[in-house]
Amino acid sequence: ICAVIGFPLFNTTNQQWRMNWTNIGWTFQSVGSGHYIGIDGSQSDGTRLVAQTTPFGWDIWHDEVDPSTY
């Protein structure tokens, strides 16, 4: 498991992600490594994002205040 960190845009495959709808929700898979964005621990505010080999499902909903955003 590796932490997910941010860098300025270099447009390389390690900064590109595939979003896929699956039976567990949306998954984010790295084009470069094939790893998925997941979480390190339980779901709560401040939980660290990690790159992992198993898919992790994300639920994406419209914002309750501004329905034009997610």
Side-chain angles (χ1 to χ4, degrees):
I1 296 179
C2 299
V4 175
I5 57 175
F7 276 94
L9 179 62
F10 292 109
N11 203 29
T12 54
T13 57
N14 67 322
Q15 293 183 320
Q16 298 171 10
W17 298 88
R18 287 187 192 97
M19 288 182 64
N20 296 301
W21 174 250
T22 70
N23 62 335
I24 61 170
W26 289 98
T27 61
F28 293 82
Q29 185 179 29
S30 169
V31 172
S33 70
H35 289 123
Y36 297 88
I37 295 179
I39 60 172
D40 185 22
S42 61
Q43 300 175 19
S44 63
D45 290 344
T47 300
R48 187 172 75 136
L49 296 179
V50 294
Q52 58 189 40
T53 57
T54 55
F56 182 89
W58 295 89
D59 292 321
I60 301 174
W61 303 96
H62 283 286
D63 183 80
E64 293 175 357
V65 175
D66 182 358
S68 68
T69 62
Y70 291 86

